[in-house]
Amino acid sequence: MNKKLHPEIIKHFHSTTFTTPIIGVTGGKGGVGKSTIAVNLAAAFVAQGKKVALIDADVDAPNDSLLLGIPLENPEPVTIMQPVFDPEKCTDCQKCVKACQMNSLFRSQPKTITLLGECNGCEACYLVCPAEAIGRGSHSVGTLYTTKRGNLTLYTGALQPGLAESALLVNAVRKTAFADADLFDIILVDTAPGTHCNVIGALKGADHVLAVTEPTPLGAHDLELILSLLDMFAVQTSVVINRSDLPGQKAKTEKTGRAGSTPVAAEIKQNKDLLAGYLQGRPVVNLFPNSSTAKIFLGLADRLAAAYPDWKKQARQEQL
Ligand code: SF4
Ligand code: SF4
């Protein structure tokens, strides 16, 4: 049985300052076609005349722009505070060293504090310093892009290679998109693969999450993990089985997760149209709008739309 989180944590997870519904697209495992599902679903909503924000929250490997065939535009640097030490003012109290939860500050010699290792910009050292010996420098962690094409706006974060501060960038991308939330009918969030805290951070506020998987033993295993995690946060979830015609494992995948009680929202077979869209960098919904695959995405968009008849968030708090 899943660990139950405190109701206040769940309430906090679901709280947002706007009423535009958020649909998450995630998957316990990489390479299952999560981004393909996200961009095609975005294209399907746009085809239905909806104004869509698509957040590519996989900041380590953002690829929604490639799958949409649009270049990233309007770059903005995302910076965090990084301490700058003044040995002339330092009294050697070492309060900053003790305050750093990342254990990144080191007293290399008297009155000389050195930053070694990761800094998440929390400002704790700056705040505890009694001698104003720490200045607020800045450190770039990545770039945020906002790309508009008709009724679709793509918000992308690209982490600086080699850095580990992906959570900061995911938050920056969400914050930028959420500031525009009232302009959209729907917000789609395409997360990183896995079940780490960045995934949950990216899905915060989601009204419904599509857990994408494929019918393989690894896919079934990772699906179980992501469904358990979403269950802990009381997130309404359904499953999308990609490459559903892979032999042998579909029945097992359907049974996976909370004794098979999570509904399957869509099944997508391997097909040449999807492959052509993938190779050409265009959603199959745009490339072959009358294909059976495009109709699956359009149908999925229809069913999700039916859950939000006035395109406003449902009263999730009342359901919890
Ligand atoms: S808290 Fe300020 S004064 Fe104390 S060791 Fe750090 S830099 Fe120096
Ligand atoms: S800003 Fe935070 S993480 Fe960075 S060195 Fe200071 S206390 Fe440590």
Side-chain angles (χ1 to χ4, degrees):
M1 182 189 261
N2 263 342
K3 179 183 159 196
K4 289 294 171 201
L5 295 175
H6 191 283
E8 282 304 314
I9 296 175
I10 294 176
K11 195 171 172 184
H12 177 69
F13 178 88
H14 286 279
S15 67
T16 56
T17 56
F18 51 84
T19 57
T20 307
I22 303 173
I23 308 290
V25 182
T26 193
K29 173 182 174 306
V32 291
K34 180 180 55 58
S35 294
T36 300
I37 307 298
V39 300
N40 274 288
L41 189 57
F45 279 123
V46 169
Q48 293 169 345
K50 302 292 185 290
K51 295 190 181 80
V52 180
L54 173 60
I55 299 175
D56 189 348
D58 188 358
V59 298
D60 289 288
N63 57 17
D64 286 2
S65 69
L66 298 173
L67 296 172
L68 287 164
I70 54 176
L72 294 175
E73 295 171 357
N74 302 309
E76 285 176 56
V78 177
T79 59
I80 58 171
M81 178 270 186
Q82 185 160 299
V84 179
F85 298 93
D86 182 348
E88 298 288 319
K89 292 182 180 171
C90 181
T91 59
D92 219 16
C93 71
Q94 296 191 57
K95 287 186 177 173
C96 55
V97 176
K98 289 178 197 139
C100 181
Q101 297 210 339
M102 307 283 290
N103 290 322
S104 295
L105 296 182
F106 174 64
R107 179 179 177 262
S108 47
Q109 53 180 295
K111 297 191 176 186
T112 304
I113 306 295
T114 308
L115 174 63
L116 288 176
E118 289 173 26
C119 169
N120 63 15
C122 72
E123 304 194 1
C125 53
Y126 168 79
L127 293 170
V128 298
C129 178
E132 296 187 351
I134 301 180
R136 299 174 85 251
S138 78
H139 162 58
S140 170
V141 292
T143 309
L144 190 152
Y145 299 89
T146 305
T147 310
K148 295 184 185 179
R149 286 293 180 282
N151 277 347
L152 174 67
T153 304
L154 173 65
Y155 296 89
T156 305
L159 190 68
Q160 201 97 286
L163 294 186
E165 290 98 346
S166 44
L168 296 167
L169 198 53
V170 169
N171 283 342
V173 179
R174 280 169 48 93
K175 198 172 164 193
T176 303
F178 288 1
D180 298 337
D182 291 340
L183 301 176
F184 301 111
D185 295 311
I186 189 107
I187 297 171
L188 289 172
V189 182
D190 179 16
T191 76
T195 49
H196 47 87
C197 53
N198 270 358
V199 173
I200 280 299
L203 291 173
K204 188 175 174 302
D207 298 275
H208 189 103
V209 170
L210 298 169
V212 182
T213 189
E214 61 182 14
T216 61
L218 195 55
H221 172 265
D222 290 343
L223 177 64
E224 177 73 46
L225 294 179
I226 190 74
L227 290 181
S228 297
L229 192 65
L230 294 167
D231 189 38
M232 282 168 65
F233 284 90
V235 181
Q236 199 177 77
T237 308
S238 55
V239 173
V240 174
I241 306 177
N242 195 21
R243 304 181 192 108
S244 62
D245 52 336
L246 282 174
Q249 294 286 333
K250 184 162 159 279
K252 183 177 175 190
T253 302
E254 283 173 337
K255 284 182 189 154
T256 297
R258 307 208 294 282
S261 62
T262 309
V264 175
E267 290 181 25
I268 299 154
K269 293 181 180 169
Q270 303 172 94
N271 66 81
K272 61 178 175 36
D273 295 339
L274 207 53
L275 182 63
Y278 186 72
L279 294 174
Q280 292 184 42
R282 287 185 63 193
V284 72
V285 168
N286 297 346
L287 198 56
F288 304 112
N290 296 318
S291 65
S292 57
T293 308
K295 284 175 186 165
I296 290 173
F297 288 111
L298 291 163
L300 181 57
D302 267 344
R303 291 193 296 283
L304 287 167
Y308 304 98
D310 58 357
W311 289 93
K312 295 295 171 203
K313 191 181 284 289
Q314 290 176 322
R316 286 284 298 140
Q317 302 303 330
E318 290 166 20
Q319 299 170 25
L320 299 173

